[in-house]
Amino acid sequence: MSTQRGPRAPLTGLWAPLAAAVALAVAVAVVLVATGLATHARSALFPAPTPTATTPGWLAPPSSAPALAGAAPLSTAAPVPEADRLARDLAPRLALGTGSIGGTVLDAATGRVLFSQAGGDGRVPASNLKLLTAAAVLTSLGPDARLRTRVVRPDAGTVVLAGGGDAMLAAGSSQPDAVMGRAGLATLAADTAKALAPAAGAAHDAAASPQPAPSPPRTVTVRLDDTLFTGPALSPAWDPADVAAGEIAPVYALALNGARAAPGAAGPRPEDTALDAANAFRDALAAALAGTGVTVAAGVSRVAAPAEGQELAAVESAPLGEQVDYMLRESDNYLAEVLARLAAHAQGGPAANEGAVAALRAAAVQVLGTADGLEIADACGLSLGNRISPTALATLVREMTVGSDERLRAALGGFPVAALDGTLGSRFAGSAAAGAGVVRAKTGTLNTVAALSGYTVDADGRLLAFAFVANGLDPGRRGEAVQALDGAAAALAACGCR
């Protein structure tokens, strides 16, 4: 059966009220939009959602992040560690089965001795002696001094490369932001070529200079002047085996790459760093003059540049403060010897082995007040003939951190950071981890010697200066002494010691 719907009722009676309502709504909307009330109304009724800050997983800290021991802010109001408590903590750590350790800990603010274990005895410091070398350089030349490597022209056909003591020359272009290679021989050669053959660098300006441009020489001979340093290039205090191994090399008034075949290269060093640098300059000059009609004669010979020679070009090293930092951080023996000779020259002495030794003694008198008890055979600490007490080393560190001569502050950037850089980059792990990132110290290592001198801020925020020096070690067990030194320094960093 089918169902059929009937016709719908008419809605004519409802249309009038609906049309009026729609018209009213449109009129209200126009008013709201025109007056800006619509925006306010929407904001009130539908507020914008507030985003919730989230941290990406790769930025989130680990759930079990360890506390960094010894990381309290530095404060002169922090309590001073108690000497008795410090001795009970350090003495067992500094006991060795072979050899012995002398050590001193100072409160940096007052200079008070907080711990001493044979601290006044002279001991072989190894490379900790470089701290005294740094003091000699910074107090005689200053951290802002730069070394100039010059080219002078004594006659029309000769140029002389004159070394100014920069052992960090680069064979290539100067690198303005580098310490090693700040001054480049290729840059020096290019500037020299422009001076020799102006047409190679720029066209002659007849309006500015009506005189004809000077004719360049047909052939140029390169000579080397390394007479700034005098005396034997090798110290008699050095073991020939250390020279053969590349621990040191004959010291000259200029060198490439810190007297290495390449920056940071290991192994034997060049035997004549000055001549190597001069040959690199000669090759760069020949390349710079190619196509100008000027040739460069083969070979380089040594000569003393005349004082009246015309300076054609020069390049400058990084400031000595930066070179000192490099020397300390990398414990560079060659650079230490070069810098000590420069200090001797600045003090009016000979830039030679004996002058370097005298410069270090003078620095001890100036910074420490005395050179009594010091025995100095070289400037890099390679000789077993050196002697200095842990107390003197710790006092030297204290002077660098808070002393009155602010020039010494320039050395602080060169102290390696425990477990992070320089010669401490792979140390302060395991039981010494409390010192990682907190201890800053200069290392020293010879077959029978291990030393560590530096500073740290303890757990209460007190600045402490220290020096620990182990002598008479069995070379096969030297690692035990190194761990003991690291452990003692880490204990200082974690110490409240009250």
Side-chain angles (χ1 to χ4, degrees), residues 129 132-133 135-136 340 347 354-379 387:
L129 187 67
L132 189 55
T133 300
Q347 294 173 9
E354 65 272 20
V357 169
L360 266 62
R361 293 188 66 84
V365 172
Q366 181 174 350
V367 178
L368 302 176
T370 180
D372 292 348
L374 281 180
E375 297 178 28
I376 303 176
D378 64 13
R387 296 289 187 282

Side-chain angles (χ1 to χ4, degrees), residues 228-231 340-342 344-345 349-353 355-356:
L228 176 64
F229 291 176
T230 59
R341 282 157 176 73
L342 292 170
H345 187 266
N353 290 320

Side-chain angles (χ1 to χ4, degrees), residues 193-398:
K194 291 177 183 178
L196 288 173
H204 175 62
D205 188 348
S209 177
Q211 298 298 322
S215 299
R218 299 291 296 270
T219 301
V220 173
T221 300
V222 175
R223 298 284 184 256
L224 166 65
D225 179 1
D226 60 351
T227 57
L228 176 64
F229 291 176
T230 59
L234 283 173
S235 168
W238 297 330
D239 187 331
D242 288 331
V243 179
E247 295 293 336
I248 192 64
V251 180
Y252 293 98
L254 67 166
L256 293 172
N257 309 317
R260 297 282 192 186
R269 297 177 185 250
E271 294 183 1
D272 192 331
T273 61
L275 192 58
D276 287 351
N279 282 321
F281 170 76
R282 182 235 161 257
D283 293 345
L285 182 61
L289 288 170
T292 66
V294 181
T295 61
V296 179
V300 176
S301 59
R302 283 180 160 92
V303 67
E308 65 274 11
Q310 175 194 7
E311 181 176 301
L312 297 181
V315 287
E316 292 189 339
S317 72
L320 285 187
E322 295 182 24
Q323 291 209 5
V324 165
D325 283 354
Y326 183 98
M327 180 263 292
L328 293 176
R329 185 168 51 253
E330 304 301 328
S331 201
D332 193 299
N333 292 328
Y334 192 93
L335 186 56
E337 293 295 333
V338 167
L339 293 176
R341 282 157 176 73
L342 292 170
H345 187 266
Q347 294 173 9
N353 290 320
E354 65 272 20
V357 169
L360 266 62
R361 293 188 66 84
V365 172
Q366 181 174 350
V367 178
L368 302 176
T370 180
D372 292 348
L374 281 180
E375 297 178 28
I376 303 176
D378 64 13
C380 65
L382 196 57
S383 171
L384 290 172
N386 296 307
R387 296 289 187 282
I388 187 171
S389 71
T391 297
L393 288 169
T395 302
L396 184 54
V397 173
R398 177 178 178 258

Side-chain angles (χ1 to χ4, degrees), residues 29-49:
V30 170
V31 171
L32 289 174
V33 171
T35 61
L37 293 175
T39 301
H40 297 297
R42 175 179 175 80
S43 298
L45 293 173
F46 306 102

Side-chain angles (χ1 to χ4, degrees), residues 79-191:
V80 180
E82 293 179 1
D84 291 345
R85 171 68 184 278
L86 198 57
R88 290 196 302 271
D89 197 12
L90 292 182
R93 300 175 186 272
L94 298 177
L96 293 178
T98 173
S100 64
I101 298 178
T104 298
V105 178
L106 302 177
D107 174 45
T110 63
R112 174 184 164 192
V113 177
L114 302 179
F115 172 82
S116 179
Q117 177 173 294
D121 296 347
R123 304 179 77 83
V124 180
S127 285
N128 276 201
L129 187 67
K130 290 184 176 76
L131 294 173
L132 189 55
T133 300
V137 175
L138 295 174
T139 56
S140 60
L141 287 158
D144 298 325
R146 297 172 184 266
L147 308 173
R148 300 181 80 242
T149 303
R150 305 179 302 128
V151 175
V152 296
R153 185 184 191 184
D155 58 63
T158 305
V159 295
V160 180
L161 177 67
D166 190 357
M168 307 182 84
L169 293 166
S173 300
S174 297
Q175 303 169 50
D177 297 326
V179 179
M180 181 74 75
R182 176 72 62 91
L185 293 181
T187 297
L188 183 61
D191 292 344

